[in-house]
Structure formats: C-alpha cells, structure tokens
Amino acid sequence: MFYYTLLLSGQLAWNIPLLMGLLLVAFLYGILVTYFTNIKIFGCHLLLFFTSLAILYITIGSPLAALSHLTFSTHMVQMSILFFIFPPLCLLGIPVHFFRKIGTAWAAKIFPKPMAALSVFAVLFLLYHVSAVLTFLSQYPAIQNSYLLVLLVLAFRMWMPIALPYLANAKKKRFAFLSGLFLMPACLLFIVNAWMGGGNTPYLAQMTAALCMPVSGLDNLHILPGGFQSQWDQLLAGVLMLGMHKLSILLTFYLEKRVQHWEIGKRNIKEEFLSIKNKNEG
C-alpha cells in the first residue's frame, strides 16, 4: 500500500541528473588518479571514494530517499548519512598529496578553518530543525537545497582533521570530542521535545508538516507497528543521530589507520622491489 502511494505521488523515482553528475565525478577522479598517482584502479582509495558516491546516490537520489519523509527518525538517518558518513568516506578516498596541492592553491583560502566550519555547521544544522526556519525553507526548494549544500561543504571541512593524516592522534581525538559536543544541541532538540510532550506541541506539528507525513497518514498506510507515537519517534531520532555520529567517528579512525597501513605496505613493497632490482643490475 505504501509503495503504491509513493509511486502515484511521484516520489519513487531515480534522480538521473544526479546519477550522471556522480558518474562524471567518478570518471574525472579515475583519470586524475590514473595519470597523476601510482595508485592502482582497485586500490583502497578508489574503493572508499566510489563507495561514498554510491552511498550519496542511494541516500538522496534513489527511491529509498522517499523513506526520509516517513518519520523524524528516518529523516535523521538520512541527515546523518549525508553529513556524517559520506564526507569522511569521500575524504579517505582522496590521495593525501592531492590535498597538499589543493592546500597551496589560492582557492583553498576561502574555506574556513575546521573549528570555524564545525561551529557554523552546528549552528546551521540546529537552525535547520527549528520549525520557523524549516517551514520557510520548505516553501522555497532552491533556497533549501542551497542551505543543504552549504551544510555539506561545511561538513567536508569539519571532517578533514579527523579523516586526513595531518594531525596527531591526540589532536584528532580532541577535535572528534568537540564535534560531538557541538552537535549535541541538535540531537537534544528531538530528545527534549519528546520528553516534554511529543507531537502535541505546536513546534512538532509544524515540523511534521514540513518534514514528514502526518501520523494519521502513516496509520492508514499500515507500515508502522501498532501503538507508534511521534513522541517515541522524536526520541529515537535524537538517539539515532548521536549514535550514528559516534559510529562515524569510530569508523573514520579505523579506516584512516587501514589506509595508512595500506600505503606503508605499498611503499615497503616498492622499496624492496627497487632494492632487489638494483642488486641484480649491479
């Protein structure tokens, strides 16, 4: 029933322009990596980069994106993937010396420092889920998409100190802790409202109209378990966001170490090969 409802409303559709854009990005990335690095096409970097593009498309360009309009919790899962999973995976998939070259370019100076990007992102992300701001943005899709694009750019900047091997582990952990602390108000927004009355408040009523299908509509579609309440949905939304942010930090630290070990192993193999070759030639 839910499938046919979304199909008739035109929400179950593949975003072909976005797919073409991501395929172009993947093609250009493959050319740059092939001609300017010695990374193999099936290397660790390329796997992470292409995985991040696939996750981005599934999240906002596939029919599964329609699930984000169901409840607050599904919306926050989409937001968490978009801002906490996609950026670090994409950054881990870009060779480090590319960033060193980019960092020396004049265009890189227009981007804010990571701490400033984190602060601005936390404020804008919190404001995005304020009913008055969200109601206004939902009336102007172009402005809303621009707002989300700014958030995505800031998300990339705030993930750089964690995903890239520029800082020592102590500084990485400190920045990761601060990122969780700065994003805490946006998570607590849902949790506090859940404990203070759930969906009976005018605030949540406006957010439901802008973000999600009304609870009555969900009941008619019979896709949620019996006794579902928006109060628990809001609580789950805040908990999921906190959990996914923490999980993304742990995953980024783990993958960053794996990428470093892979690069060190590749260099050792290359040095050993050159040593053997020099001995044979001598």
Side-chain angles (χ1 to χ4, degrees):
M1 177 63 180
F2 173 63
Y3 175 87
Y4 292 110
T5 301
L6 291 180
L7 183 62
L8 293 174
S9 64
Q11 296 188 44
L12 284 183
W14 296 91
N15 191 328
I16 302 302
L18 176 62
L19 178 61
M20 294 297 102
L22 293 179
L23 288 177
L24 178 61
V25 170
F27 177 73
L28 294 176
Y29 172 85
I31 292 178
L32 291 174
V33 169
T34 301
Y35 283 94
F36 295 99
T37 69
N38 57 354
I39 298 176
K40 295 182 178 180
I41 196 65
F42 296 106
C44 185
H45 286 292
L46 278 83
L47 178 62
L48 290 172
F49 187 83
F50 291 151
T51 300
S52 70
L53 294 184
I55 289 176
L56 175 64
Y57 186 69
I58 292 173
T59 303
I60 65 175
S62 73
L64 291 178
L67 297 177
S68 65
H69 299 294
L70 285 179
T71 61
F72 292 113
S73 54
T74 55
H75 166 74
M76 293 314 300
V77 168
Q78 184 195 46
M79 293 288 100
S80 297
I81 294 175
L82 184 60
F83 299 126
F84 304 152
I85 302 296
F86 165 65
L89 280 181
C90 187
L91 291 172
L92 289 170
I94 300 177
V96 176
H97 64 272
F98 277 9
F99 283 103
R100 291 173 180 169
K101 292 181 179 179
I102 295 174
T104 58
W106 66 269
K109 298 179 181 179
I110 65 175
F111 293 99
K113 298 294 184 180
M115 199 64 202
L118 173 61
S119 303
V120 176
F121 177 88
V123 173
L124 292 181
F125 191 73
L126 177 63
L127 290 176
Y128 183 78
H129 293 97
V130 172
S131 59
V133 176
L134 187 58
T135 302
F136 170 78
L137 292 175
S138 62
Q139 297 174 358
Y140 304 96
I143 299 179
Q144 185 178 22
N145 292 334
S146 301
Y147 194 102
L148 293 174
L149 181 60
V150 170
L151 283 176
L152 187 59
V153 172
L154 291 172
F156 267 93
R157 187 58 174 148
M158 76 178 189
W159 276 104
M160 282 186 178
I162 302 175
L164 301 179
Y166 290 156
L167 300 177
N169 283 334
K171 292 184 178 180
K172 285 177 178 287
K173 293 179 179 179
R174 180 177 178 273
F175 191 86
F177 171 77
L178 290 175
S179 68
L181 189 65
F182 277 48
L183 294 173
M184 186 71 70
C187 304
L188 293 178
L189 182 67
F190 288 99
I191 297 176
V192 170
N193 276 281
W195 288 112
M196 295 181 62
N200 297 324
T201 62
Y203 164 78
L204 267 303
Q206 293 181 17
M207 283 199 67
T208 301
L211 270 181
C212 314
M213 294 180 64
V215 177
S216 59
L218 294 173
D219 293 338
N220 294 332
L221 293 176
H222 303 291
I223 60 174
L224 294 174
F228 177 83
Q229 296 180 5
S230 59
Q231 178 181 2
W232 302 115
D233 180 37
Q234 298 152 37
L235 180 62
L236 180 61
V239 173
L240 281 174
M241 183 180 168
L242 283 172
M244 292 188 69
H245 181 258
K246 181 65 175 178
L247 177 64
S248 64
I249 290 177
L250 296 176
L251 181 64
T252 302
F253 274 111
Y254 172 77
L255 290 177
E256 195 264 335
K257 290 181 180 179
R258 296 286 294 181
V259 170
Q260 283 190 5
H261 291 164
W262 178 78
E263 290 182 340
I264 292 173
K266 184 182 66 173
R267 285 198 298 268
N268 291 339
I269 293 175
K270 183 177 180 180
E271 291 174 359
E272 183 178 354
F273 173 77
L274 292 176
S275 176
I276 295 174
K277 182 179 178 181
N278 293 332
K279 287 182 181 179
N280 292 336
E281 291 178 351

